[in-house]
């Protein structure tokens, strides 16, 4: 978790760009900060892009970015976030590791987006920490750095570390950070500006494609799972599923046990309950309607299965979502570093700061639309 910070003290964030970083991940993270400034009408955050030598770097889509500065000329940031992407193991060297270890010793909070967690892991800066990374590198990261607590969650906050997967997930991570630091009202307003249906939280997990787990060696198993995913409301009987792919039920059960370490019925139930969880969090359907939409014959049976698998009754799952409008945070977690680095903002170069962005944003109708003075009352 992240502690609240003093709203009068801007936070300075540096993004360390690795070769072939994922542009959508960087943009998702930065845009959340920009919109926080615009909607609050205050310079809550400063951000700058960095490379090792200050030279331009190419994103994975071929777009070249000229960074604001090199790591040798940058100020002390409150937070440094590593932006990774394709072929991350070849995108950094010993100098990256040494610099990150240095800023860690200075008390800087560290983060990573997409595959950037791999570099933090190699630097020994995730040992004993919960860590999220893109599913494509999750197994490799765990194998290479066994002291890292790899998680399949979309993002993880653990003390002075914040890590997330790729794509648009950095937006969710930053919105959760903003919520914890400046209140639910501001994070929700940013989400609405970006037309996000909801802000995903730490309990949400990334979906690892089954093809990635199994490869192409088990086409019948992949076909059975595809049938299950396509028939959530009208559940197919096990014997019927096996017949569709010309297997006996016993052969099908052996495949599931060998490759997925569970029975076909348990796997199918898990798929249905995950769909139910999505509906509980993302829709206004009644629990009875959700039960029916996920193939359960009665609401009590659905509630019993949900509680056993998810550890919480569906009514409490939905109630927790609604309570986000009230008090949200406990106080344990990442300590704000502004007090440790009082000169952080003063040392930042004047050009292209969020204050310039704020001047431009004054023409927007949403400028200053969120009153941060009300944030304590909205929690």
């Amino acid at each position: 978790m992240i502690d609240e910070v003093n709203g009068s003290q801007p936070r300075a964030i540096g993004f360390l760009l690795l070769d072939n970083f994922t542009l959508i991940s960087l943009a998702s993270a930065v845009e959340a900060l920009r919109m926080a400034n615009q909607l609050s009408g205050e310079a809550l955050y400063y951000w700058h892009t960095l490379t090792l030598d200050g030279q331009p770097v190419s994103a994975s889509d071929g777009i070249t970015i000229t960074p604001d500065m090199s790591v040798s000329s940058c100020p002390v940031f409150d937070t440094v976030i590593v932006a990774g992407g394709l072929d991350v193991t070849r995108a950094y060297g010993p100098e990256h590791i040494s610099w990150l270890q240095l800023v860690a010793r200075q008390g800087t909070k560290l983060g990573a987006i997409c595959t950037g967690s791999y570099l933090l892991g190699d630097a020994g800066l995730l040992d004993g920490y919960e860590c999220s990374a893109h599913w494509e590198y999750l197994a490799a990261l765990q194998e290479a750095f066994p002291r890292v607590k790899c998680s399949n969650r979309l993002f993880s906050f653990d003390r002075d570390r914040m890590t997330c997967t790729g794509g648009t997930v950095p937006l969710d991570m930053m919105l959760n950070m903003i919520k914890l630091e400046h209140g639910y009202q501001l994070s929700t307003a940013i989400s609405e500006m970006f037309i996000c249906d909801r802000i995903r939280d730490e309990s949400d997990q990334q979906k690892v494609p089954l093809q990635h787990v199994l490869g192409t060696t088990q086409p019948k198993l992949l076909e059975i799972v595809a049938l299950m995913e396509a028939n959530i409301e009208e559940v197919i009987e096990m014997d019927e599923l096996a017949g569709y792919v010309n297997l006996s039920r016993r052969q099908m059960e052996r495949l599931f046990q060998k490759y997925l370490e569970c029975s076909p019925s348990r796997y199918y139930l898990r798929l249905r309950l995950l769909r139910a969880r999505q509906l509980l969090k993302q829709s206004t359907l009644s629990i009875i309607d959700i039960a029916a939409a996920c193939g359960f014959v009665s609401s009590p049976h659905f509630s019993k299965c949900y509680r056993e698998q998810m550890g919480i009754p569906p009514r409490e799952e939905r109630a927790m979502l609604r309570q986000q409008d009230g008090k949200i945070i406990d106080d344990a977690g990442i300590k704000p570093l502004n007090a440790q680095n009082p000169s952080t903002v003063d040392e930042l170069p004047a050009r292209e700061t969020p204050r310039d962005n704020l001047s431009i944003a004054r023409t927007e109708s949403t400028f200053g639309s969120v009153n941060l003075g009300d944030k304590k009352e909205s929690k």
Side-chain angles (χ1 to χ4, degrees):
M1 287 289 183
I2 301 176
D3 288 337
E4 288 183 37
V5 298
N6 184 346
S8 63
Q9 180 66 56
R11 297 271 317 272
I13 299 177
F15 290 92
L16 178 61
L17 310 183
L18 303 182
D19 287 336
N20 290 313
F21 73 93
T22 307
L23 188 59
I24 189 173
S25 296
L26 175 67
S28 296
V30 171
E31 283 299 300
L33 304 177
R34 178 187 69 82
M35 192 56 69
N37 290 347
Q38 176 176 318
L39 294 182
S40 67
E42 301 179 24
L44 302 179
Y45 298 97
Y46 290 87
W47 58 89
H48 283 79
T49 52
L50 322 167
T51 58
L52 190 67
D53 55 7
Q55 294 301 306
V57 61
S58 292
S60 57
D61 56 10
I63 294 177
T64 300
I65 300 294
T66 301
D68 296 318
M69 59 192 72
S70 68
V71 298
S72 61
S73 62
C74 70
V76 177
F77 290 102
D78 296 300
T79 304
V80 169
I81 296 176
V82 180
L86 297 179
D87 202 13
V88 67
T89 58
R90 300 184 183 183
Y92 64 87
E95 297 89 350
H96 290 90
I97 291 175
S98 297
W99 183 74
L100 286 169
Q101 291 170 338
L102 171 64
V103 298
R105 290 194 296 270
Q106 293 172 338
T108 301
K109 185 172 70 177
L110 296 175
I113 56 179
C114 197
T115 60
S117 297
Y118 202 96
L119 171 51
L120 293 183
D122 201 359
L125 298 172
L126 289 178
D127 289 355
Y129 283 91
E130 187 93 14
C131 163
S132 294
H134 193 281
W135 58 262
E136 196 172 13
Y137 271 87
L138 202 56
L141 196 152
Q142 185 68 87
E143 181 73 22
F145 315 115
R147 297 181 65 185
V148 179
K149 300 176 182 177
C150 292
S151 167
N152 199 40
R153 294 198 301 233
L154 292 179
F155 59 89
S156 300
F157 290 133
D158 188 354
R159 291 161 286 167
D160 53 354
R161 300 289 185 268
M162 50 191 293
T163 54
C164 75
T165 61
T168 60
V169 172
L171 174 62
D172 296 282
M173 182 175 76
M174 302 307 268
L175 286 175
N176 277 269
M177 182 191 78
I178 291 166
K179 177 178 69 175
L180 295 167
E181 294 180 350
H182 296 289
Y184 179 72
Q185 184 184 5
L186 179 58
S187 64
T188 301
I190 297 169
S191 176
E192 291 171 349
M193 285 294 292
F194 291 146
I195 319 177
C196 295
D197 293 336
R198 72 179 183 97
I199 302 174
R200 294 175 288 187
D201 59 36
E202 279 189 271
S203 66
D204 285 288
Q205 296 194 344
Q206 59 182 322
K207 181 179 179 182
V208 180
L210 193 60
Q211 292 91 332
H212 179 74
V213 177
L214 300 178
T216 58
T217 60
Q218 297 300 322
K220 289 185 180 293
L221 184 54
L222 293 173
E223 189 175 350
I224 294 170
V225 171
L227 284 168
M228 290 177 173
E229 291 175 339
N231 292 274
I232 297 295
E233 184 171 356
E234 298 292 336
V235 179
I236 304 175
E237 294 294 332
M238 293 297 106
D239 289 332
E240 194 175 356
L241 271 173
Y244 279 134
V245 295
N246 297 316
L247 291 176
S248 69
R249 179 164 177 171
R250 192 167 182 178
Q251 288 173 319
M252 180 178 72
E253 289 175 345
R254 285 175 178 169
L255 278 178
F256 272 81
Q257 287 293 346
K258 181 176 181 179
Y259 293 101
L260 299 177
E261 300 180 344
C262 67
S263 67
S265 58
R266 187 173 183 82
Y267 189 91
Y268 204 173
L269 176 62
R270 182 71 178 174
L271 284 178
R272 291 157 59 204
L273 290 172
L274 287 173
R275 177 71 59 81
R277 188 169 185 266
Q278 290 177 331
L279 294 175
L280 283 167
K281 287 181 169 255
Q282 300 175 11
S283 78
T284 57
L285 289 174
S286 69
I287 290 177
I288 294 175
D289 289 339
I290 291 174
C294 296
F296 292 92
V297 295
S298 69
S299 179
H301 181 230
F302 164 62
S303 296
K304 178 178 180 294
C305 293
Y306 196 96
R307 183 175 60 252
E308 289 175 351
Q309 291 286 323
M310 303 299 189
I312 183 174
R315 289 188 185 279
E316 288 187 25
E317 184 86 84
R318 176 158 280 176
M320 287 174 62
L321 189 65
R322 289 171 177 166
Q323 286 169 8
Q324 287 180 348
D325 217 351
K327 58 182 181 180
I328 310 168
I329 318 308
D330 75 40
D331 292 18
I334 298 175
K335 185 176 181 180
L337 299 173
N338 302 78
Q340 300 175 15
N341 305 312
S343 62
T344 296
V345 175
D346 294 336
E347 294 177 5
L348 289 171
R351 72 177 183 88
E352 296 181 359
T353 68
R355 292 194 186 279
D356 297 323
N357 296 336
L358 280 175
S359 297
I360 298 171
R362 288 181 187 279
T363 61
E364 299 294 327
S365 60
T366 56
F367 180 82
S369 59
V370 178
N371 183 2
L372 295 181
D374 296 335
K375 72 174 183 177
K376 291 185 179 179
E377 299 175 9
S378 67
K379 292 185 179 180

